[in-house]
Amino acid sequence: MSTPTSSDPQVHVIDHPLVQHKLTLMRRKDASTNSFRTLLNELSMLMAYEVTRDMPTQEVEIETPLETMTAKMIDGKKLVLVSILRAGTGILDGMLTVVPGARVGHIGLYRDPKTLQAVEYYFKMPKDTQERDVVVVDPMLATGNSAVAAIDRVKALKPKSIKFVCLLTCPEGIATLRKAHPDVDIYTAAVDRQLNSHGYILPGLGDAGDRIFGTQ
Ligand code: URA
């Protein structure tokens, strides 16, 4: 279940009880690295259901043990999951469990701690991106600068469509991304209150990368 926010139908808050429950467990500061990572994995699988809801299917003929029938299948290869390094890996793994045929791209970006601007250090995408639908993933849509920079790069390859998936966002991040890329729908489990002066989401869950990889 995903609900477009009342003010913006292109921001989809995935308010399924299982998603909300797991997010709450992840937010707690005493969640271990292992449980944080496991929960993110499970949550990403659940979010993948919503994000792939409009994926095209094709009819194929199959044999059941009893008879021949025509049934629907997706072509997972038409989907490219693009992970913004390093925290995007946490969402990527769960989504790949559900759509194992998807292709994968990576964008390495770090946040300059002074300017909070995104600095690129790596970019690798599958071939023929113009024939595929792209889903860019990053757990936190905070300032929005990394998401905008990543989508700028992906858009230059002219994919059929682009969606952005995060775990958490805030009004500032949504505004920045919607302004730069009004054609990109945002999928999130929650819209939190605000950013702090260091670019962290409040109340948030802290540094997603540190919590996934135990580097705090
Ligand atoms: N990145 C994070 O990991 N956490 C935030 O709160 C904001 C950006």
Side-chain angles (χ1 to χ4, degrees):
M1 196 187 332
S2 97
T3 312
T5 55
S6 51
S7 52
D8 189 339
Q10 283 177 261
V11 179
H12 307 263
V13 179
I14 303 177
D15 54 3
H16 191 289
L18 287 174
V19 169
Q20 295 303 316
H21 176 83
K22 289 177 193 299
L23 176 60
T24 300
L25 296 176
M26 292 176 75
R27 286 183 188 272
R28 293 161 90 162
K29 66 178 181 191
D30 53 1
S32 69
T33 301
N34 185 25
S35 81
F36 188 91
R37 200 186 294 143
T38 303
L39 286 161
L40 179 56
N41 207 272
E42 293 168 354
L43 225 152
S44 306
M45 287 189 239
L46 295 170
M47 292 180 78
Y49 282 105
E50 279 308 320
V51 177
T52 55
R53 184 173 282 280
D54 59 359
M55 242 180 128
T57 54
Q58 61 200 34
E59 308 251 301
V60 294
E61 199 167 277
I62 57 163
E63 301 277 339
T64 77
L66 299 176
E67 57 182 62
T68 302
M69 72 172 285
T70 306
K72 290 178 198 250
M73 290 191 81
I74 58 159
D75 184 358
K77 294 194 291 296
K78 291 277 189 280
L79 187 69
V80 183
L81 300 174
V82 178
S83 166
I84 301 182
L85 296 172
R86 68 183 164 145
T89 314
I91 294 189
L92 176 67
D93 291 347
M95 292 214 163
L96 277 175
T97 308
V98 182
V99 194
R103 300 303 191 232
V104 177
H106 286 96
I107 302 184
L109 294 171
Y110 69 87
R111 255 199 322 185
D112 184 298
K114 288 209 183 80
T115 64
L116 301 184
Q117 291 303 308
V119 183
E120 182 180 312
Y121 62 89
Y122 187 74
F123 184 72
K124 184 85 178 172
M125 286 286 289
K127 275 187 265 175
D128 305 327
T129 300
Q130 66 279 8
E131 291 163 21
R132 304 176 201 268
D133 296 301
V134 168
V135 175
V136 179
V137 303
D138 193 357
M140 310 299 271
L141 176 59
T143 62
N145 294 336
S146 299
V148 169
I151 294 170
D152 283 346
R153 292 287 266 132
V154 169
K155 227 178 220 185
L157 302 175
K158 301 194 184 337
K160 281 165 66 183
S161 69
I162 305 177
K163 291 175 179 170
F164 184 84
V165 178
C166 57
L167 193 57
L168 268 190
T169 186
C170 56
E172 296 89 332
I174 291 174
T176 302
L177 182 50
R178 299 288 295 118
K179 182 158 182 255
H181 295 293
D183 53 328
V184 173
D185 278 27
I186 300 169
Y187 292 78
T188 184
V191 181
D192 274 10
R193 192 179 69 244
Q194 67 181 97
L195 274 189
N196 72 10
S197 57
H198 302 289
Y200 280 86
I201 294 173
L202 298 175
L205 48 71
D207 188 299
D210 281 343
R211 298 203 64 191
I212 295 166
F213 299 110
T215 45
Q216 232 158 3

